[in-house]
Structure formats: C-alpha cells, structure tokens
Amino acid sequence: MPKVCRACEARHGGICSVLTGSQLAELNKHSNRKSIDGGTELVGQGENIGTYSNIVRGVVKLSKMMADGRQQIVGLQFAPDFLGRPFSHESSLTAEAATNTEVCAFPRAVLERMIADTPELEHRLYDQSLKELDEARDWMLTLGRKTAREKVASFLHLIATHVDPDAGDGCEFELPLSRADIADFLGLTIETVSRQMTKLRKDKIILVENNRHVIVPDIENLNEAAGND
Amino acid sequence: MPKVCRACEARHGGICSVLTGSQLAELNKHSNRKSIDGGTELVGQGENIGTYSNIVRGVVKLSKMMADGRQQIVGLQFAPDFLGRPFSHESSLTAEAATNTEVCAFPRAVLERMIADTPELEHRLYDQSLKELDEARDWMLTLGRKTAREKVASFLHLIATHVDPDAGDGCEFELPLSRADIADFLGLTIETVSRQMTKLRKDKIILVENNRHVIVPDIENLNEAAGND
DNA sequence: CGAATTTTTGACTTCCATCAAGTGTAGTGG
DNA sequence: CCACTACACTTGATGGAAGTCAAAAATTCG
C-alpha cells in the first residue's frame, strides 16, 4: 500500500477503503495531492471534468448560479467524501473550497476504468450518492418550508453533527462558511442570517465568539429551534 | 421472457432493461402488478420498506412532512422509474400516487439478491440515483432563489419536458398535480400558485382549460419565465 | 340538479429583502 | 504602537412579495 494512503482519511471512510493494495498503488501512481486555499474554485459550472478527487481535509461547497448572479449552495462535502459526478463529462455545478482544503486528485479515465471492473467500488460510490440524495431532500424541506430562524438553526445543527458526530448534549465548532455562504446555502440574505444568529444568541441556544466560533450548550434545543419535531 | 414484461415500459427504459431473460423470469415470479388510485399512499415516512417497485404508468410524488404538518414534495417520479431506497430498511419519505398509477412490485430481498450478483443492475440503479440527485439540486435552486412566478413557470416547464421530451416549440398536457400539490412542491401556498398561474395566463405564456389542461404555445417563453438563462 | 371540492379572487398582514449606516476585526505600513 | 484601509458582520428603517383569512366562482361528482 502506498505510504501516503496509510494515514489518509479516504483510505478509511472514503472510496479507497474498498480498493485492494494493488488498486491503491495503481490509483496512487496517477494521483496528485493538492492544498487549496479557501475560496478557490475547483470545478466551474458547465466546465469539462478532467479529474475526480477525494477530500482529505476541509469543506467543499457545491453551488449553482443563475444568469443574473443569484446563487444557491446545493451541498457541502466533508472529508473523506468523493468529489465528482461519474458518467457525466460536464459539471452542472461549481465546486469551491470553503475552508483551506486538501484533496487527492486523479484523472477521470483511471477511476472510470477501475469502476468498470470493481463492483465494490461502484457500490461504494452508489452508497455516497444515495446519502447525498437523502441530504439534498432533507434540505429541500428546509428551503421550501422552514422560517428564517429554523433555517439558521438547521444549518448550525448540520455543522454541529458533521463536525462532532458523537458529541453528547453540547458541542463547539468553527463555522466553515462565511455569513454570505450561509445565506446562499439557506436561500436567505446576509442580513437575515445575521439577525437570526443574534436572536438565537439572545435566546441562549448558541454562544458565539469572534463570529466564527460557535458553542452549543444543548444540541437538543438547537434541534428544536430547527423545527425537527 | 415473461409476457407481461414484453410490452412493459420498465423493460425498456427502466431497470429491467439490464436483466437477462432468466432474471426477468425470476423477478416476475415474485412480482405483483397493482393499480393504484391517485391520492393513495404507497410508502409512509418512517415505515419499514418491504417491497420495491417499478412505475409502469402514472406519476408518484415523494414528500416529507414536519411534525406540525408543513409538507414539502421533494421529487416526482414518472414511468418507468424505479421506486425505492436500496440499502435502507426505513423510508425517510412518503411516496404517494399523484395520478392513477400502475406499479410492478417485488419483495426487497429478491431484488437485493439480484443486485448483489448483477453489477449491471447496480449500475443502472446508480445511474437513476445520480439523475435524481441532479434533479434535486436543480430544484434546490428553484426553492431557495426563485420568485413565485419563476417557481410556477419552472414547475410547468418540468412537467412539459417530462410529458413530451421531444416536442418542438409548443406543447400541451394534463397537470398530474393539484394546486395544493404544486404548492407543496414549490414551497408556496395554494393561493400564490393560483395567482401566478393567472398572471402567466394573462401574459400569454400559457393557456389553461378546466384547471388541469395546459397549453404552452412557446416553450422558450416559459423557460425564460422560469429564470433559466 | 345540488353538494362537495377545488380553484380563483380580494383585503389585509407579516416576514424577509432592500437600502443604508454603523461596529467590529484583521492586516499593512509609517 | 497607532493610524489607516479593507473587509466581514451587525443593526436600523422601510418596502414589497408572499402568506393569511375570507368569500366567491368554477368544477367535479353523486
């Protein structure tokens, strides 16, 4: 097994976990680790897709933009997620690093060949896409039917559960997104996000330090504010 | 090949198109055709999933409901789509027939066994889930960032392109959803949907007869009203 | 036909967007 | 170290798009 893979997150929870040693070596021969600053675009909407990646560290936002500039974030991906849309050569969305990010990139052709003769790999990818579909549909409920307050609480709850999946009742984290990004994720404006954060703060549901650092004393209160039964 | 399969839509565009004759026969032995009236629930949110189905005729809506009754339709499925969430034994959403519908149902275990030793079948299912994911993300942009007018136009455009994929500039169809369902799909109220339909009618973008029958003289005008490019 | 349901229309309200200052919070260089 | 700028975020005042409540009109169905 290649030594870069040994401590790699994708080797554990990611798609590489289903590959054999020789497949890992083969993929590794063509793969390429990159560090990416927050704000950098990885793939543009409508662009040709030449490479797929695994997210090794950081958070990537997937977004769609309308002709007049209105924007919607349609998904967040965390390490060790696979990044790409197999079997489509043109991207229907933009992928941009939200935080400083590290990815492991490999050419499309190499992976697609490997998919073709490794059912377990395709199964693993299918599994991720089903997970993403569940998440997208959950978010559709949030976008379509929740109030601004519930939307902001839902976002904080999402981050809280992703950063620290097995926390007890309380938890604490850095927001990976700016207010502008949060607004684009929730279908709101920056101002509304800010106002609702302030209200949640006043209601003691969260504590905020330095704008980006959030403390949740009781995750169940946050879940309730998010409108989840 | 079983004779019910011969003229079946699922045998052509659906998942059955990748099965061999003997696999079709095997699946058919356990499968069960059903006619379902519009409005009937197929699977409930939180219910155990015992069967998967192919939609042979009609339209099925997938929806999520909050504890206080707020509802969001998160997807529409048309024949010959596959209906089900493989590898999860509990449904996170409700599936309900929108129109009178015909499905071909088979036990979960039979299909899962067949998936396990037929990579082509899993590939076909993966492909549908990628398509659904693309659609869900398109819809997130609609829900989060479009105006009521654009939402209603987007919905009409969606139905128009599904009912008659290769129409020229004009087309004509029956709406498979009531105003209440359209509202739940668009994250609006019934009244707002109705008002926007009236406005689109006054702007000559659509003609409506008997509430459900819609004529689109020029699909490009509708596409523009939907805010697409 | 008449009852029930769905859809439309109207009057009014509310929530969130918009516009506009104001308040931090880095980062730079004198 | 302190101006100075640049940027991100917050707060306030106002307006408008969509929601709510209520009733009328159209359509479906027994």
Side-chain angles (χ1 to χ4, degrees):
Chain A
M1 188 196 304
K3 67 171 178 295
V4 276
C5 298
R6 232 161 272 180
C8 178
E9 268 214 71
R11 171 68 188 151
H12 298 107
I15 61 162
C16 296
S17 62
V18 298
L19 299 180
T20 63
S22 64
Q23 284 179 312
L24 265 184
E26 162 71 9
L27 192 59
N28 190 253
K29 222 186 306 177
H30 303 280
S31 76
N32 184 7
R33 284 244 179 176
K34 289 189 220 171
S35 275
I36 293 148
D37 288 339
T40 307
E41 186 174 298
L42 296 169
V43 192
Q45 196 169 345
E47 255 176 36
N48 220 347
I49 307 171
T51 60
Y52 295 133
S53 320
N54 283 316
I55 304 174
V56 177
R57 187 174 55 83
V59 179
V60 173
K61 49 189 213 216
L62 307 177
S63 62
K64 284 185 168 268
M65 185 131 92
M66 292 173 64
D68 61 7
R70 280 176 283 175
Q71 199 172 23
Q72 175 69 46
I73 294 180
V74 297
L76 289 182
Q77 312 232 254
F78 299 80
D81 287 347
F82 171 78
L83 196 62
R85 164 59 165 93
F87 319 123
S88 164
H89 298 172
E90 194 182 293
S91 177
S92 66
L93 37 78
T94 299
E96 188 183 320
T99 61
N100 293 345
T101 296
E102 204 167 325
V103 300
C104 183
F106 28 81
R108 201 183 71 215
V110 175
L111 189 80
E112 293 196 340
R113 203 176 327 121
M114 209 168 273
I115 291 173
D117 43 52
T118 316
E120 300 76 34
L121 177 57
E122 181 152 50
H123 181 80
R124 184 64 193 67
L125 287 164
Y126 180 27
D127 210 55
Q128 176 173 326
S129 89
L130 285 171
K131 196 195 75 188
E132 288 178 27
L133 186 56
D134 288 343
E135 288 171 355
R137 287 173 167 165
D138 277 341
W139 210 248
M140 287 171 74
L141 179 64
T142 300
L143 289 173
R145 290 303 187 195
K146 289 189 182 177
T147 64
R149 179 190 169 90
E150 289 170 333
K151 285 181 176 182
V152 172
S154 296
F155 169 73
L156 294 170
H157 185 79
L158 176 81
I159 300 300
T161 49
H162 267 268
V163 164
D164 205 347
D166 39 34
D169 19 314
C171 63
E172 192 170 340
F173 51 86
E174 293 294 310
L175 286 177
L177 266 55
S178 68
R179 297 293 186 272
D181 284 339
I182 299 172
D184 279 343
F185 195 29
L186 295 170
L188 297 172
T189 58
I190 299 176
E191 293 93 327
T192 300
V193 171
S194 177
R195 274 186 254 271
Q196 297 303 331
M197 294 275 282
T198 304
K199 279 193 193 158
L200 289 172
R201 205 152 27 83
K202 286 190 176 147
D203 293 349
K204 305 283 163 56
I205 291 169
I206 55 170
L207 304 173
V208 182
E209 285 168 9
N210 296 334
N211 292 335
R212 286 288 188 114
H213 190 86
V214 177
I215 301 167
V216 183
D218 184 351
I219 192 91
E220 204 33 60
N221 290 341
L222 184 61
N223 199 35
E224 193 182 321
N228 303 330
D229 40 29
Chain B
M1 188 195 307
K3 66 170 177 295
V4 276
C5 297
R6 233 162 269 181
C8 176
E9 268 216 71
R11 171 68 187 148
H12 298 106
I15 61 162
C16 295
S17 64
V18 299
L19 299 180
T20 64
S22 64
Q23 284 180 312
L24 267 184
E26 163 71 9
L27 192 56
N28 189 252
K29 221 186 309 177
H30 303 280
S31 76
N32 184 6
R33 282 243 179 178
K34 290 188 219 169
S35 274
I36 293 148
D37 289 340
T40 308
E41 186 173 298
L42 296 168
V43 191
Q45 196 168 346
E47 257 177 34
N48 220 347
I49 307 171
T51 61
Y52 295 133
S53 321
N54 283 316
I55 304 174
V56 176
R57 187 176 54 83
V59 179
V60 172
K61 49 189 216 220
L62 307 177
S63 62
K64 285 185 168 266
M65 186 133 91
M66 292 174 63
D68 61 7
R70 281 176 284 174
Q71 200 173 20
Q72 175 69 45
I73 293 181
V74 298
L76 289 182
Q77 311 232 253
F78 300 80
D81 287 347
F82 172 78
L83 196 63
R85 167 57 166 94
F87 319 124
S88 165
H89 297 173
E90 193 182 294
S91 177
S92 65
L93 36 79
T94 299
E96 187 183 320
T99 60
N100 292 343
T101 297
E102 205 168 324
V103 300
C104 184
F106 27 82
R108 201 183 71 212
V110 174
L111 188 81
E112 291 197 340
R113 202 176 327 120
M114 210 168 274
I115 292 173
D117 42 51
T118 316
E120 299 77 33
L121 177 58
E122 179 151 51
H123 181 78
R124 182 66 193 66
L125 287 164
Y126 181 27
D127 210 55
Q128 176 173 327
S129 90
L130 285 170
K131 196 195 75 187
E132 288 178 26
L133 186 56
D134 288 342
E135 288 171 354
R137 286 174 169 165
D138 277 340
W139 210 249
M140 287 171 75
L141 178 63
T142 300
L143 288 173
R145 289 304 186 194
K146 289 190 182 178
T147 64
R149 179 190 169 90
E150 290 170 332
K151 285 181 175 182
V152 172
S154 296
F155 169 72
L156 294 170
H157 185 78
L158 175 82
I159 299 299
T161 49
H162 268 268
V163 163
D164 204 347
D166 40 34
D169 15 313
C171 64
E172 192 170 340
F173 50 86
E174 293 295 310
L175 286 177
L177 266 56
S178 67
R179 298 291 186 272
D181 284 340
I182 299 171
D184 279 343
F185 194 29
L186 294 170
L188 297 172
T189 58
I190 299 175
E191 294 92 326
T192 300
V193 171
S194 177
R195 277 185 253 270
Q196 297 302 331
M197 293 276 281
T198 304
K199 279 192 193 157
L200 290 172
R201 207 153 24 87
K202 286 189 177 146
D203 294 348
K204 305 281 165 54
I205 291 169
I206 55 170
L207 303 173
V208 181
E209 286 168 9
N210 296 334
N211 292 335
R212 288 287 190 114
H213 190 84
V214 177
I215 300 168
V216 184
D218 184 349
I219 191 93
E220 204 32 62
N221 289 341
L222 184 61
N223 199 35
E224 193 182 320
N228 301 330
D229 50 26

